Short mmCIF file of all heavy atoms in Angstrom, two decimals:
data_model
loop_
_atom_site.label_atom_id
_atom_site.label_comp_id
_atom_site.label_asym_id
_atom_site.label_seq_id
_atom_site.Cartn_x
_atom_site.Cartn_y
_atom_site.Cartn_z
N MET A 551 77.20 110.63 86.77
CA MET A 551 75.86 110.41 86.25
C MET A 551 75.04 109.66 87.30
O MET A 551 75.50 108.67 87.85
CB MET A 551 75.94 109.55 84.97
CG MET A 551 76.71 110.24 83.86
SD MET A 551 77.04 109.13 82.45
CE MET A 551 78.56 108.34 82.97
N LYS A 555 72.41 115.58 90.31
CA LYS A 555 72.79 116.99 90.14
C LYS A 555 71.60 117.85 89.72
O LYS A 555 71.42 118.96 90.20
CB LYS A 555 73.95 117.13 89.12
CG LYS A 555 75.22 116.37 89.54
CD LYS A 555 76.33 116.51 88.52
CE LYS A 555 76.02 115.90 87.18
NZ LYS A 555 76.27 114.47 87.03
N ASP A 574 73.93 120.18 80.32
CA ASP A 574 73.64 119.25 79.21
C ASP A 574 72.53 119.81 78.31
O ASP A 574 72.62 119.73 77.08
CB ASP A 574 73.22 117.88 79.74
CG ASP A 574 74.39 117.07 80.28
OD1 ASP A 574 75.55 117.43 79.98
OD2 ASP A 574 74.14 116.08 80.99
N ILE A 585 72.57 114.90 73.35
CA ILE A 585 73.94 114.48 73.71
C ILE A 585 74.27 113.16 72.99
O ILE A 585 75.37 113.01 72.44
CB ILE A 585 74.07 114.27 75.24
CG1 ILE A 585 73.62 115.51 76.01
CG2 ILE A 585 75.46 113.78 75.63
CD1 ILE A 585 74.63 116.53 76.33
N PHE A 597 82.16 116.53 71.58
CA PHE A 597 81.23 116.84 72.67
C PHE A 597 81.95 117.61 73.77
O PHE A 597 81.45 118.61 74.29
CB PHE A 597 80.60 115.55 73.24
CG PHE A 597 79.88 115.79 74.53
CD1 PHE A 597 78.63 116.41 74.54
CD2 PHE A 597 80.45 115.44 75.75
CE1 PHE A 597 77.98 116.67 75.75
CE2 PHE A 597 79.81 115.69 76.95
CZ PHE A 597 78.56 116.30 76.95
N ARG A 598 83.16 117.15 74.12
CA ARG A 598 83.92 117.81 75.19
C ARG A 598 84.29 119.25 74.81
O ARG A 598 84.29 120.13 75.67
CB ARG A 598 85.19 117.00 75.53
CG ARG A 598 84.93 115.61 76.07
CD ARG A 598 84.16 115.61 77.37
NE ARG A 598 83.77 114.26 77.78
CZ ARG A 598 82.84 114.00 78.68
NH1 ARG A 598 82.18 114.98 79.28
NH2 ARG A 598 82.54 112.76 79.00
N GLU A 601 81.19 121.19 75.28
CA GLU A 601 80.90 121.29 76.71
C GLU A 601 81.77 122.38 77.35
O GLU A 601 81.29 123.19 78.14
CB GLU A 601 81.18 119.92 77.36
CG GLU A 601 80.93 119.88 78.85
CD GLU A 601 81.09 118.47 79.42
OE1 GLU A 601 82.16 117.86 79.23
OE2 GLU A 601 80.15 117.99 80.06
N GLY A 619 77.61 118.54 83.52
CA GLY A 619 77.65 117.13 83.12
C GLY A 619 78.77 116.44 83.89
O GLY A 619 79.72 117.09 84.33
N GLY A 620 78.66 115.14 84.04
CA GLY A 620 79.61 114.40 84.87
C GLY A 620 81.07 114.56 84.48
O GLY A 620 81.96 114.45 85.32
N GLY A 621 81.33 114.86 83.20
CA GLY A 621 82.72 114.96 82.76
C GLY A 621 83.28 116.37 82.80
O GLY A 621 84.50 116.57 82.64
N ARG A 658 72.39 108.42 78.11
CA ARG A 658 73.80 108.68 78.45
C ARG A 658 74.69 107.73 77.66
O ARG A 658 74.84 106.55 78.02
CB ARG A 658 74.01 108.48 79.95
CG ARG A 658 73.24 109.49 80.80
CD ARG A 658 73.54 109.26 82.27
NE ARG A 658 72.98 110.28 83.12
CZ ARG A 658 71.89 110.10 83.88
NH1 ARG A 658 71.24 108.96 83.87
NH2 ARG A 658 71.46 111.08 84.64
N PRO A 659 75.32 108.26 76.59
CA PRO A 659 76.08 107.38 75.70
C PRO A 659 77.17 106.57 76.39
O PRO A 659 77.43 105.43 75.99
CB PRO A 659 76.70 108.34 74.66
CG PRO A 659 76.27 109.71 75.02
CD PRO A 659 75.32 109.66 76.14
N LEU A 660 77.78 107.12 77.44
CA LEU A 660 78.88 106.38 78.09
C LEU A 660 78.38 105.10 78.76
O LEU A 660 79.16 104.18 79.02
CB LEU A 660 79.58 107.26 79.14
CG LEU A 660 80.34 108.49 78.63
CD1 LEU A 660 81.03 109.19 79.79
CD2 LEU A 660 81.37 108.10 77.59
N ARG A 677 87.53 109.51 88.49
CA ARG A 677 87.05 110.88 88.72
C ARG A 677 86.96 111.30 90.18
O ARG A 677 87.07 112.51 90.46
CB ARG A 677 85.66 111.03 88.07
CG ARG A 677 85.73 110.96 86.55
CD ARG A 677 84.35 111.17 85.97
NE ARG A 677 84.37 111.16 84.51
CZ ARG A 677 83.29 111.32 83.76
NH1 ARG A 677 82.11 111.49 84.33
NH2 ARG A 677 83.38 111.30 82.44
C1 S3P B 1532 78.71 112.53 81.00
C2 S3P B 1532 77.63 112.84 81.78
C3 S3P B 1532 76.36 113.29 81.22
C4 S3P B 1532 76.57 113.95 79.86
C5 S3P B 1532 77.34 113.04 78.96
C6 S3P B 1532 78.69 112.64 79.53
C7 S3P B 1532 79.97 112.09 81.69
O1 S3P B 1532 75.74 114.23 82.09
O2 S3P B 1532 77.24 115.18 79.99
O3 S3P B 1532 76.53 111.91 78.72
O4 S3P B 1532 81.03 112.13 81.05
O5 S3P B 1532 79.90 111.74 82.88
P1 S3P B 1532 75.06 113.82 83.50
O6 S3P B 1532 76.16 113.67 84.50
O7 S3P B 1532 74.20 115.01 83.81
O8 S3P B 1532 74.27 112.59 83.29
#
Side-chain angles (χ1 to χ4, degrees):
M551 297 171 274
K555 300 180 296 276
D574 285 344
I585 306 270
F597 168 75
R598 297 298 172 197
E601 180 175 55
R658 295 182 172 105
L660 295 183
R677 292 182 178 179

